[in-house]
Amino acid sequence: MFRTHTNGALNISNISQEVTLAGWVQTIRDKGFMVWIDLRDRYGITQLVFDEERSSKELLEQARNLGREFVIQVQGKVIERASKNPKIPTGDIEILVEKLTVLNKSLLPPFTIEDETDGGEELRMKYRYLDIRRNPVKDKLIFRSQMAQKVRNYLSGEGFIEVETPVLIKSTPEGARDFVVPSRMNPGQFYALPQSPQTFKQLLMVAGMDKYFQIVKCFRDEDLRADRQPEFTQIDCEMSFVEQEDILNVFEGLASHLLKDVTGKDFGKFPRMTYDEAMRKYGNDKPDIRFGMEFAELDDLVKDKGFKIFDEAELVAGINVDGCAHYTRKQTDELTEWVKRPQIGASGLVWIKYQEDGTLTSSVNKFYTEEDLKALAERFSAKPGDLMLILSGAANKVRPQLSALRMELGNRLGLRKGDEFAPLWVVDFPLLEWDEETQRFYAMHHPFTSPKPEDIPLLDTDPGKVRANAYDMVLNGNEIGGGSIRIHDRDLQEKMFELLGFTPDDAEAQFGFLMNAFKYGAPPHGGLAFGFDRFTAILDGNEVIRDYIAFPKNNSGRDVMIDAPSPIHEEQLDELCLDVRLPEL
């Protein structure tokens, strides 16, 4: 055997045992008469010892010639450690090495394989296989594996069947951009990689597989952010003979199970909030409810006072920041510059300070009396010591700007703690959203989302007011899952395609297979998909998903480790009947 034990397994009970260990050289400490080596594998670290009294000269010299990250095997005796290390499980013992075998040498790594490394992000991604040796990354991948196993166990216990769906599918025009794959055997034709298994899981419901799930790779060719990757993983689920309440109960149960596993706490029933309420109070449809700063709308209190910026604004709204009236002019100016950045796009920021002595002062004192400011403070439910921040302009700009400011202050003030969790459901989304540029409706979720039954008549008279039978699960300001009750009636599905601008021929070409399936008895059905990478990261106290993916892409969608995407040979292009004009480098 290469090893009798792993490097995290030995302790004081193993004293005097002969053992064989293997792993990577973490550190070497040479004191002349004695050499210590930390040997590492994914289970932990064991200290090895060589000394002049108990080790041969050859063995001692062999130890001195090792380098960091050499792969070695040692045989020796477990002895009690003179200087114990309570920080590691093996800190009471060390191995007096009797035999050392170098299994493989290593170049000096381009960065230190330590918890606190000197490697920058791009460098570590280029050598990702070395980065994974570090505990912070290794532990995240182990945590991800544990979460996947718990998901499978829970859903299997609820009667769900895991079914794999195809990866090479048909491209559809709705949603994000598809990654496409040319077919050699069908020249000029292309597969697409799935953005989700949506149509296939609906077909499985028609097929009678009334509880389906899959932990599945999905692909979207879209611009990247810290919480997005071109390929990502979903917990994809669908159920038959259900209404919205059934779906919410089942998957609230799954989320509660995982949250309790991580925190040890029961979360009870998740609160619910309509889309309209979320937008009104927080300016986005995935609010972080771990802290306050709900929006206060101020139009009736601030207009017609001679302050042109407010007078001409469609919406004037603000947030109250507890205990921050002490902010200096430099700090409020910095916040003003922050909201004026192109990423936020506000034209300015008005502040009101409620001083500890009860007086009120603002950046617009010349337009508003103390009585005016008192009325505003009451609207904010402010108290002495608070700071009120106000934005104005077009409503569809003010809300996201104020939301961004709220989240930024939540981060700065330490209100968004990774070990605190606040889940909720957001429901009653609009079914459709109007695009001014193309002058047509788009599906807010996807074309298969059912309208609220009571809103179906509005499809003919006022489609923009129709609410979707859709729901999102939100955790700590992140959408971690979303779904809907699906359309299972062919006539209603045809109506939906018509509203989305599909001709009958277009609908048949794109989705004829699904429409035909509906002719054969489609049951009422609905489902939900969790973003597994994101959910896992948040459960582990983080929001950036990259370290929870073994081999992620960078912000340009590139794998810098294997240098992909990359050009392919002309012979391959010819086989695929592709005439590609590559850009000159």
Side-chain angles (χ1 to χ4, degrees), residues 1-3 20-22 71-75 99-101 103:
M1 292 190 298
F2 269 105
R3 57 188 180 185
T20 302
L21 302 179
V71 186
I72 65 172
Q73 179 192 53
V74 296
Q75 295 173 7
K99 182 180 178 181
L100 167 63
T101 303
L103 300 175

Side-chain angles (χ1 to χ4, degrees), residues 379-399:
R379 177 67 56 85
F380 279 108
S381 299
K383 61 187 185 304
D386 289 353
L387 172 68
M388 292 153 272
L389 301 173
I390 303 170
L391 295 177
S392 62
N396 64 351
K397 292 184 178 179
V398 169
R399 293 191 191 283

Side-chain angles (χ1 to χ4, degrees), residues 151 155 160-161 197-198 201-202 205 209-216 234-240 247 250-251 254 471 482-484 486 525-530:
V151 167
L155 292 175
F160 284 79
I161 305 298
Q198 181 61 45
K201 64 181 179 180
Q202 290 190 251
M205 297 303 101
M209 303 291 286
D210 68 331
K211 287 185 174 182
Y212 142 92
F213 87 98
Q214 184 181 189
I215 299 180
V216 59
Q234 284 186 179
I235 308 168
D236 197 60
C237 308
E238 198 80 2
M239 302 171 69
S240 291
I247 300 285
V250 168
F251 296 106
L254 171 60
Y471 32 82
S484 65
R486 321 301 186 190
H525 60 283
L528 178 143
F530 288 100

Side-chain angles (χ1 to χ4, degrees), residues 10-19 34 36 46-51 54 76-85 89-97:
L10 298 170
N11 55 50
I12 202 76
S13 68
N14 300 106
I15 293 291
S16 299
Q17 289 183 14
E18 293 286 338
V19 297
M34 186 172 286
W36 289 277
T46 304
Q47 180 169 284
L48 313 178
V49 62
F50 306 77
D51 65 36
R54 295 173 290 182
K77 182 181 291 187
V78 182
I79 62 174
E80 188 168 0
R81 192 164 163 173
S83 179
K84 294 181 170 56
N85 181 359
T90 60
D92 290 338
I93 60 92
E94 59 190 0
I95 309 301
L96 179 61
V97 177

Side-chain angles (χ1 to χ4, degrees), residues 78 95 142 238 246 280 330 337 348 360 385 438:
V78 182
I95 309 301
I142 292 171
E238 198 80 2
D246 302 305
R280 188 178 72 255
K330 182 179 178 180
E337 292 306 309
L360 288 152
T438 58

